[in-house]
Each structure stands twice: as C-alpha cells, then as structure tokens.
Amino acid sequence: MISRLSVSIVRACLRAGAGGSPTAVLDEVPLSDEERCRVPVLAGTSHAVFVSVRASEVSLRFFTAGGELPACGHGTVAALAFLAARAPGSEYRGTLSAAGRSFAGRAVREGARFRAVFEPGPVESREPTPDECAQVLPALGVTSDTLAPGARVASVGRERLLVPVASRSQLAAITPDFEALRAACDRFGLLGCYVYSVPTRSGRLAARMFAPSIGVPEDIDNANSTACLAADLAGRGITEIAVDMGDALGSPATITASARPVLRLGGVAEVAGAVRELTV
C-alpha cells in the first residue's frame, strides 16, 4: 500500500529563535508500525509524532527509525505547537495521552512561535549498577577523570543513564564508540545516555543525548531526559533548570524544566514548513 502524507516540520525547543530539533508532525493515518518508522527518515528528522484529535483528548504516538517510543518530550512540544497553530486564539490548552497516561499541555503564541509546557509525569530513579557503569561509560567515552558524582538511571517510560561531567568543555569533547554504546545499552535495556555538565547556581547547564539503540546516535534535544535530570536535581535543591543541547550538531536548542510545584517541561517551537505528498 502506498500512502501520501502531509507532514508538518516543527522545530522544537529553539534557542533564542534559532536551531531546535526538526520534528515531523502529522495527523493520525492508518499505517503499519514499519511505515511509521519510515516517516522520520523520509522527512529528514530524527522523530515523527502522529496526532489523533478526539472530542476531549489528543492521543500522541512517537516513532524513530528504530521503532515506537512510549514518550518523547521534544515531540510533545512539537505536537503542542502543531495543535496551537491550528487553534483559534493565542493559547491552546488540552489533555494529551501517550503510553496509557493522560496529562495536561498548553502552548501560547509568541509572534510566529509557540511556547509549550506540559507535565511529563512521575520519574523513577535508581543507582546504576557496577556492571552498567563498567560497560556503558567506556563506550560513551567518559573516564574517571571526567565523571562527576551523581550518575543515575532514570525513567519516564524507559530507563536511560544520566551521566554528569565536570564542565561544558569536557562534555563537548566526548566521542562515543557508537557500536559499543549501542551494544551496552541494549544489554541493559537502556534508551541511551544523557551526559550533562554540572549546573551553575542558577540552574543553567549543557547536555548531550546519545541513543544509537533507537536509531539516533546523538539527539539535538531530549526533553524527557531533561525531566529525569530535573527530578533528580530537585532533590538536591535545584528546582529550575535551563539545558542547552544541540551545539555539537550545529542546531542549538534549549529545554526548560521546573519542579515547583509539580514537574513541568517547556520549550519554544516553530512550525517551520510542510512536506507535501510524502510517499510511504
């Protein structure tokens, strides 16, 4: 079966109006999961979001070339901008659902862009095992000289390893062995590794997300991993963070997170254009 699709390209989590993560967003259509995995490849994006609008709730499904994801933070920001661009007025509010969970989301128009905020849900966190560290960190390219205290395994649907390093320069210098990293993450069922610099007192930091197991060697931005980090840092007294990502890929992005009074993620997005007659 050949399907021709209309796909909007949304740049999610812009930094000062530039960069962001190009994300394919489209209305729900009858496709197989294999066909859905081809959409981001054909659209030239890392992720695709399928949006199904019902009377009282909007259902979201997220796909990469490697398969379906239970959740995707920057994909949710992109979907909220997509919905707000089609809604009347300057603000969109709705109830979204993904992976069996319903949550609130909103997007406010700011000129040609939209500032989106949503609640990613509860974060589960644990200490990484010695075997996880011994297998994953060398493949990642993080040594005992660059590793800072506080590594965690955290999840908002699927586990990933949060890896702190002492400085932005050390973060920028990381060069993973992607084949070895994929094998190590697959062995332990990890989505990938979110490496971040120690935050300043104001909560500003930088991060890079490596996820070869889902077909994304390095992600321009990763909001759900930012949610995991925000939950962890809240326990250490840092309740507001702004995370810079994407610099290594030439597409600067920023994600914000607040843990007061509940965990919320935010980002600015722009509906950059549409790919018409995409054939799957």
Side-chain angles (χ1 to χ4, degrees), residues 151-162:
R152 301 288 293 176
V153 173
S155 172
V156 285
R158 187 169 171 185
E159 288 189 330
R160 77 279 326 269
L161 183 62
L162 309 181

Side-chain angles (χ1 to χ4, degrees), residues 10-20 77 80-82 84-85 89-92 107-116 267-272:
V10 180
R11 294 189 298 132
C13 302
L14 302 168
R15 188 190 308 167
V77 168
L80 283 165
F82 173 82
S90 61
E91 182 177 10
Y92 170 83
V108 178
R109 186 183 293 273
E110 297 181 347
R113 304 183 182 102
F114 300 90
R115 184 172 298 275
V268 176
E270 182 176 65
V271 182

Side-chain angles (χ1 to χ4, degrees), residues 101 103-106 117-123 227 230-231 234 238-241 256-266:
R101 185 181 73 88
F103 54 98
R106 67 184 178 95
V117 178
F118 71 98
E119 298 174 13
V123 173
I238 300 174
T239 57
E240 304 274 348
I241 61 173
T256 59
S258 171
R260 296 185 302 183
V262 297
L263 183 60
R264 291 189 177 93
L265 280 175

Side-chain angles (χ1 to χ4, degrees), residues 65-148:
E68 185 170 9
L69 303 176
C72 176
H74 78 264
T76 303
V77 168
L80 283 165
F82 173 82
L83 291 162
R86 303 194 301 185
S90 61
E91 182 177 10
Y92 170 83
R93 289 179 179 265
T95 300
L96 311 179
S97 69
R101 185 181 73 88
S102 295
F103 54 98
R106 67 184 178 95
V108 178
R109 186 183 293 273
E110 297 181 347
R113 304 183 182 102
F114 300 90
R115 184 172 298 275
V117 178
F118 71 98
E119 298 174 13
V123 173
E124 296 181 358
S125 180
R126 63 174 175 84
E127 293 280 348
T129 68
D131 280 349
E132 287 171 330
C133 292
Q135 294 288 326
V136 176
L137 294 181
L140 188 59
V142 172
T143 67
S144 58
D145 293 332
T146 56
L147 181 67

